[in-house]
Amino acid sequence: MTQDDHALARDLATEAGALLLRLRADRGFADTKALRDAGDRESHLYLMDAFKRLRPDDSVLSEEGRDELSRLDAERVWIVDPLDGTREYAEEGRGDWAVHVALWERSALTAGAVALPAQGRTLSTAEPVALPDVDTAHIRVTMSRTRPPEFIDRLAEHLDADVEFVPIGSAGAKVAAVLLGEVDAYVHAGGQYEWDSAAPVAVAHAVGAHASRIDGSPLAYNQEDTKLPDILVCHPELAPSLLAGIRAVL
């Protein structure tokens, strides 16, 4: 029996994450560059071998692989980030790094998983979580630790709510924090690529969260130019006020 795509995304992300945990334990943190490079390479090779065996007719777009533009004519494309949050992966004690596995089919994301190996969990479209309630009077916002949107302070002042900023590492960990109710929104405008958000957005859509560009337009995947520079993921009750606020301060 062929494993369905939702379960396959979940299992591959989880297994690649387990590989990364073993690699981290074996190598230690003395040479962080070597650890980062090994993590990117080994997770990528593991996923590519799995797709070759289990979905040999599908195309793959990986951050760590050569971009084959034949994917533009394919009906099924796996979009993966073998190690999202490479910086955090090489920092001892940090759990905000992830493995992203998403499936794009004929213009839309249809399956995906975000593994958070150091947190011992994987969020996926196979078993969507229940989105927690939100307190609209106190909004917790996460963003890039190193490249926060230049408008983020103006946005906080514009919103009719108390705003708390919560630093988190990888994009996958940020979106997972939204879906688990640890924060309420993720705002990014400092540049990204499709593999940074495809799996997190697939999972966000599965639980009913809002996910779009910061101007409210849809996120498009499997494009010739893989740059996808900004994103808003949030509880759906917050989307109208956040989008209006961003429009007002830009």
Side-chain angles (χ1 to χ4, degrees), residues 24 30 35 39 45 60-61 119 121 144 149 163 168 170 180 227 234:
R24 211 184 189 199
L35 179 59
L45 291 175
V60 182
L61 171 64
Q119 299 179 30
R121 58 190 173 196
S144 171
V163 177
I168 299 174
S170 86
L180 294 168
K227 291 179 183 176
C234 64

Side-chain angles (χ1 to χ4, degrees), residues 5 8 20-21 47 51 100 128 133 204 226 228 237:
D5 293 321
L8 180 63
L20 287 165
L21 284 176
L47 292 170
F51 288 125
H100 297 175
D133 294 335
T226 57
L228 198 47
E237 288 186 34

Side-chain angles (χ1 to χ4, degrees), residues 8-99:
L8 180 63
R10 177 198 62 202
D11 292 352
L12 292 185
T14 302
E15 291 162 8
L19 179 155
L20 287 165
L21 284 176
R22 291 194 296 272
L23 189 66
R24 211 184 189 199
D26 292 343
R27 284 180 170 260
F29 299 89
D31 188 339
T32 56
K33 182 179 185 308
L35 179 59
R36 292 194 299 267
D37 291 346
D40 281 332
R41 180 180 65 253
E42 297 301 321
S43 183
H44 169 75
L45 291 175
Y46 176 83
L47 292 170
M48 294 307 102
D49 178 70
F51 288 125
K52 186 176 180 180
R53 288 185 289 106
L54 300 171
R55 294 292 190 271
D57 296 328
D58 293 353
S59 293
V60 182
L61 171 64
S62 169
E63 179 181 15
E64 304 304 326
R66 180 179 175 182
D67 185 5
E68 301 286 353
L69 291 180
S70 57
R71 65 179 170 78
L72 298 174
D73 298 318
E75 294 199 347
R76 289 167 52 92
V77 181
W78 293 91
I79 302 175
V80 303
D81 189 342
L83 175 51
D84 183 63
T86 308
R87 179 200 303 264
E88 287 77 16
Y89 174 69
E91 294 181 18
E92 188 171 10
R94 295 198 69 104
D96 49 351
W97 50 275
V99 178

Side-chain angles (χ1 to χ4, degrees), residues 158-170:
H158 180 84
L159 295 172
D160 185 22
D162 293 329
V163 177
E164 176 187 356
F165 294 128
V166 181
I168 299 174
S170 86

Side-chain angles (χ1 to χ4, degrees), residues 180-238:
L180 294 168
E182 296 166 356
V183 298
D184 306 303
Y186 167 37
V187 183
H188 181 82
Q192 281 187 344
Y193 292 85
E194 291 186 17
W195 44 77
D196 292 308
S197 65
V201 166
V203 178
H205 284 161
V207 306
H210 172 89
S212 73
R213 300 285 303 272
I214 60 171
D215 64 0
S217 62
L219 294 149
Y221 294 92
N222 197 31
Q223 305 296 299
E224 182 171 355
D225 182 352
T226 57
K227 291 179 183 176
L228 198 47
D230 55 66
I231 187 171
L232 169 66
V233 178
C234 64
H235 195 286
E237 288 186 34
L238 297 176

